């Protein structure tokens, strides 16, 4: 299958090439030539394990990858999750389900893709005949960084460097990254927010001069952010898998529609849901949940994307984003796959910080999406009320989604089954969760874990407990202008 750039100026001949390049040479994102109809295989998928379902879904795009190799890689990746289950479903109320995507090595949903990406990339590079070293440059709003470090640590022929906003991630997220082991890893804090990190990384990706200087050091760049199709494609699986599990357990009948509620930042997770729908999955609405940085709520309400607004640091930091990269892939579809139009919009976004949809495009939005947001107080209130009502502890990002689910139900009177994606362990944000439940502010993240465990009887995950005594390996905090020098220094 071919992959096209959303900006019309680049084509990858196969998935391997799209994954290795990460970003298209014109600055656009790679999108598949077409969406394979996987839903017609639903009977087969229902009887399969998660790794087998993943092999079917991913293999439908990555047709050049050897199927047996892919299956083995999926089995290995998903064995790293608690009970070997990357996407278990919990029923919390009538027709209300939560899909827990955070039982992987780093306790965030990013693990579902990043436990597999090293294989997809290594194999892809071999298929493309790439002999150079690969440098993965990652911008993170908190969770991608650790998940990517964990996935790529000590991988032969690959180095990884992570940029995180130095004051924009939780204490636990920061500690997870700064204690990462491995000879091929580097972690630097950036003075700025996630958008600064992402723009800095993207600028290096699309700079011909940077590519030349790296080439002289026998290095090519790739990305582990959701701008990389290889990050996106494993995320499609769990939408299918949730549906299969609901049918298999007779909660729904085959062909019934379901809604998915997704706590959204860079629009990667929810875009995978949109792709699943295009692949035939009977999804009614994809519900886009934002925090106070509600640029997407506004986009879905008005058809205008406008990033000229205040940036807020919230207690759901992984969603503190004003430039949602993957929206570009969705807007490309809305435009009827018009690369020229998409390029023009992205130029407007760069120069004046906004663009708008045509009325005919705007009218298409409500077929697939509903959008709303939760402010800080609503987020805390939801953590607390969900625990009181159901004895179920959720993290702040999932709480944002569950608040928006309430809005959705109130607004639409929708009665069909709804799956909310739970994206992180509450113990990645222990102070915010403890504060939500008790109204008490704690400075010490580990103290908060201890008290939270007492209060809720929800055990602290081992990955968090072990952090307390791990050596901190990375201390650098730099200006974004200094990133490229730091990259060159790292690879030499
Ligand atoms: C990354 C992340 C999100 C946002 O996902 P996107 O794919 O960027 O929209 C939400 N919650 C958590 C916990 C995350 O780590």
């Amino acid at each position: 299958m071919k992959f096209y750039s959303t900006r019309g100026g680049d084509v990858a001949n196969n998935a391997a090439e799209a994954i290795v390049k990460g970003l298209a040479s014109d600055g656009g994102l790679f999108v598949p030539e077409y969406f394979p109809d996987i839903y017609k295989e639903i009977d087969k998928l229902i009887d399969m394990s998660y790794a087998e379902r993943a092999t079917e879904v991913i293999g439908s795009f990555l047709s050049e990858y050897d199927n047996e190799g892919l299956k083995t890689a999926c089995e290995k990746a998903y064995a790293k999750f608690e009970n070997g289950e990357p996407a278990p479903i919990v029923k919390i109320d009538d027709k209300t389900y939560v899909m827990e995507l955070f039982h992987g090595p780093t306790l965030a949903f990013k693990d579902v893709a990043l436990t597999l990406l090293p294989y997809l990339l290594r194999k892809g590079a071999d298929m493309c005949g790439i002999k150079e070293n690969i440098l993965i440059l990652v911008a993170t709003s908190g969770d991608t960084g650790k998940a990517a470090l964990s996935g790529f640590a000590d991988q032969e022929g690959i180095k990884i460097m992570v940029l995180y906003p130095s004051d924009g991630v939780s204490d636990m997220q920061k500690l997870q990254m700064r204690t990462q082991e491995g000879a091929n890893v580097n972690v630097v804090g950036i003075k700025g927010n996630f958008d600064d990190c992402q723009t800095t990384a993207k600028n290096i990706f699309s700079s011909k001069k940077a590519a030349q200087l790296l080439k002289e050091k026998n290095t090519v760049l790739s990305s582990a952010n959701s701008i990389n199709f290889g990050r996106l494609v494993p995320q499609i699986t769990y939408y299918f898998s949730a549906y299969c599990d609901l049918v298999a357990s007779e909660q729904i009948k085959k062909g019934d529609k379901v809604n998915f509620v997704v706590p959204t930042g860079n629009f990667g997770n929810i875009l995978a849901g949109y792709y699943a729908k295009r692949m035939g999955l009977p999804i009614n609405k994809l519900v886009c949940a934002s925090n106070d940085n509600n640029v997407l709520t506004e986009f879905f309400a008005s058809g205008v994307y406008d990033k000229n607004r205040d940036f807020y640091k919230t207690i759901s930091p992984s969603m503190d984003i004003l430039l949602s990269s993957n929206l570009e892939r969705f807007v490309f579809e809305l435009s009827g796959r018009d690369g020229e139009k998409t390029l023009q919009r992205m130029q407007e976004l760069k120069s004046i910080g906004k663009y708008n949809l045509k009325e005919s495009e705007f009218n298409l939005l409500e077929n697939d999406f509903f959008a709303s947001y939760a402010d800080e107080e609503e987020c805390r209130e939801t953590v607390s009320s969900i625990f009181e009502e159901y004895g179920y502890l959720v993290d702040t990002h999932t709480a944002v989604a569950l608040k928006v689910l309430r809005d959705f139900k109130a607004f639409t009177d929708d009665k069909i089954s709804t799956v909310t994606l739970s994206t992180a362990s509450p113990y990645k944000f222990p102070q915010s969760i403890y504060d939500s439940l008790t109204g008490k502010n704690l400075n010490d993240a580990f103290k908060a874990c201890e008290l939270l465990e007492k209060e809720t009887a929800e055990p602290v995950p081992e990955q968090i407990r072990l952090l307390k005594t791990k050596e901190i390996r990375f201390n650098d905090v730099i200006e974004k202008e200094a990133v490229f020098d730091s990259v060159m220094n790292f690879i030499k």
Side-chain angles (χ1 to χ4, degrees):
M1 183 187 300
K2 281 196 175 65
F3 286 77
Y4 299 118
S5 166
T6 48
R7 301 187 190 177
D10 195 8
V11 184
N13 290 312
N14 53 49
E17 208 180 302
I19 290 170
V20 173
K21 281 177 104 175
L23 193 68
S25 58
D26 59 356
L29 309 186
F30 283 119
V31 291
E33 188 179 354
Y34 63 92
F35 294 103
D37 181 357
I38 285 290
Y39 186 68
K40 67 178 193 305
E41 314 276 345
I42 195 75
D43 288 322
K44 199 171 91 181
L45 289 173
I46 288 169
D47 292 331
M48 288 179 163
S49 69
Y50 189 91
E52 289 168 331
R53 289 170 184 166
T55 309
E56 289 295 314
V57 171
I58 299 167
S60 71
F61 291 100
L62 275 58
S63 44
E64 301 82 9
Y65 282 66
D66 150 63
N67 205 262
E68 272 308 304
L70 182 60
K71 182 158 171 261
T72 309
C74 288
E75 282 166 352
K76 261 198 195 156
Y78 299 132
K80 292 178 182 158
F81 285 74
E82 199 178 315
N83 307 319
E85 286 185 62
I89 290 188
V90 178
K91 182 173 186 172
I92 63 166
D93 204 346
D94 187 36
K95 295 186 177 165
T96 307
Y97 305 88
V98 174
M99 174 157 56
E100 296 183 346
L101 298 169
F102 59 82
H103 296 292
T106 77
L107 306 171
F109 90 94
K110 311 292 201 289
D111 284 327
V112 181
L114 284 162
T115 48
L116 189 63
L117 186 64
Y119 171 81
L120 300 181
L121 190 71
R122 184 68 264 165
K123 187 85 192 166
D126 294 345
M127 287 161 72
C128 294
I130 289 181
K131 300 275 185 285
E132 291 91 344
N133 297 319
I134 298 173
L135 172 67
I136 314 280
L137 187 61
V138 183
T140 185
S141 59
D143 291 322
T144 295
K146 179 61 184 183
L149 289 163
S150 158
F152 282 100
D154 291 327
Q155 289 270 331
E156 196 71 30
I158 298 183
K159 284 192 169 187
I160 172 162
M161 176 155 162
V162 170
L163 315 176
Y164 71 91
S166 66
D167 293 325
V169 301
S170 82
D171 292 347
M172 233 26 127
Q173 287 176 317
K174 199 185 279 192
L175 205 52
Q176 278 188 306
M177 291 187 274
R178 292 177 60 203
T179 55
Q180 177 66 43
E181 291 161 14
N184 64 334
V185 307
N186 191 16
V187 177
V188 289
I190 303 298
K191 293 178 193 163
N193 59 34
F194 170 73
D195 293 321
D196 296 314
C197 296
Q198 176 161 256
T199 304
T200 302
K202 271 185 149 186
N203 286 344
I204 294 176
F205 275 109
S206 45
S207 156
K208 297 220 160 59
K209 182 155 170 255
Q212 185 55 40
L213 289 169
L214 287 165
K215 186 116 202 171
E216 286 165 16
K217 299 275 180 261
N218 195 36
T219 298
V220 293
L221 272 179
S222 189
S223 165
N225 281 104
S226 53
I227 55 174
N228 192 324
F229 186 74
R231 244 303 287 287
L232 215 50
V233 66
Q235 296 177 178
I236 302 171
T237 306
Y238 46 74
Y239 289 90
F240 277 93
S241 186
Y243 194 88
C244 290
D245 288 348
L246 290 177
V247 174
S249 60
E250 299 181 355
Q251 314 270 343
I252 60 169
K253 287 198 291 296
K254 206 169 57 183
D256 285 355
K257 288 194 167 184
V258 296
N259 302 307
F260 286 94
V261 188
V262 189
T264 297
N266 222 2
F267 210 73
N269 200 359
I270 197 167
L271 183 78
Y274 173 74
Y275 280 11
K277 186 170 184 178
R278 296 287 301 267
M279 294 165 80
L281 193 66
I283 296 177
N284 177 43
K285 287 285 157 57
L286 291 156
V287 179
C288 176
S290 302
N291 63 23
D292 273 327
N293 295 297
N294 54 5
V295 59
L296 287 165
T297 314
E298 199 178 272
F299 171 76
F300 282 105
S302 67
V304 180
Y305 192 89
D306 186 353
K307 75 170 184 78
N308 302 304
R309 58 206 335 275
D310 290 336
F311 175 89
Y312 299 105
K313 275 203 312 195
T314 74
I315 55 172
S316 46
S318 303
M319 295 156 67
D320 288 347
I321 295 174
L322 292 180
L323 261 174
S324 287
S325 276
N326 273 295
L327 193 67
E328 179 170 345
R329 286 187 164 112
F330 176 60
V331 168
F332 175 75
E333 298 298 333
L334 272 181
S335 72
R337 307 201 123 199
D338 184 338
E340 226 168 286
K341 185 76 200 164
T342 309
L343 171 65
Q344 183 204 324
R345 284 181 169 143
M346 294 307 131
Q347 282 169 342
E348 285 170 27
L349 184 61
K350 194 163 184 188
S351 58
I352 57 167
K354 65 177 188 172
Y355 62 88
N356 48 299
L357 297 179
K358 291 190 282 196
E359 195 173 315
S360 57
E361 294 167 327
F362 177 62
N363 291 337
L364 294 174
L365 294 182
E366 65 177 9
N367 294 339
D368 297 316
F369 289 89
F370 174 89
S372 183
Y373 77 103
D375 67 24
E376 295 290 88
E377 195 41 52
E378 289 167 332
C379 176
R380 279 192 285 267
E381 190 282 320
T382 307
V383 170
S384 159
S385 66
I386 293 288
F387 187 71
E388 260 163 43
E389 253 174 83
Y390 306 111
Y392 185 66
L393 191 65
V394 296
D395 92 291
T396 43
H397 305 76
T398 308
V400 166
L402 289 168
K403 187 280 174 176
V404 168
L405 170 60
R406 283 185 193 150
D407 293 349
F408 175 64
K409 282 189 172 160
F411 189 81
T412 61
D413 212 25
D414 193 298
K415 297 278 190 297
I416 67 174
S417 298
T418 300
V419 180
T420 299
L421 276 57
S422 179
T423 47
S425 159
Y427 284 104
K428 290 193 98 163
F429 313 94
Q431 295 111 305
S432 303
I433 304 296
Y434 189 72
D435 177 23
S436 303
L437 293 182
T438 65
K440 288 183 199 140
N441 251 311
L442 291 173
N443 265 332
D444 183 338
F446 290 102
K447 184 77 194 164
C449 286
E450 194 186 301
L451 294 177
L452 204 49
E453 185 176 62
K454 269 198 197 126
E455 188 87 17
T456 64
E458 184 70 34
V460 180
E462 183 176 72
Q463 296 97 311
I464 296 288
R465 272 192 289 111
L466 293 177
L467 271 184
K468 197 169 178 176
T469 51
K470 269 202 165 165
E471 179 205 354
I472 293 184
R473 298 186 60 213
F474 301 100
N475 291 302
D476 284 1
V477 176
I478 63 175
E479 303 283 348
K480 57 183 189 230
E481 291 76 17
V483 168
F484 188 67
D485 284 344
S486 177
V487 168
M488 292 306 286
N489 203 31
F490 173 52
I491 61 164
K492 84 172 181 235

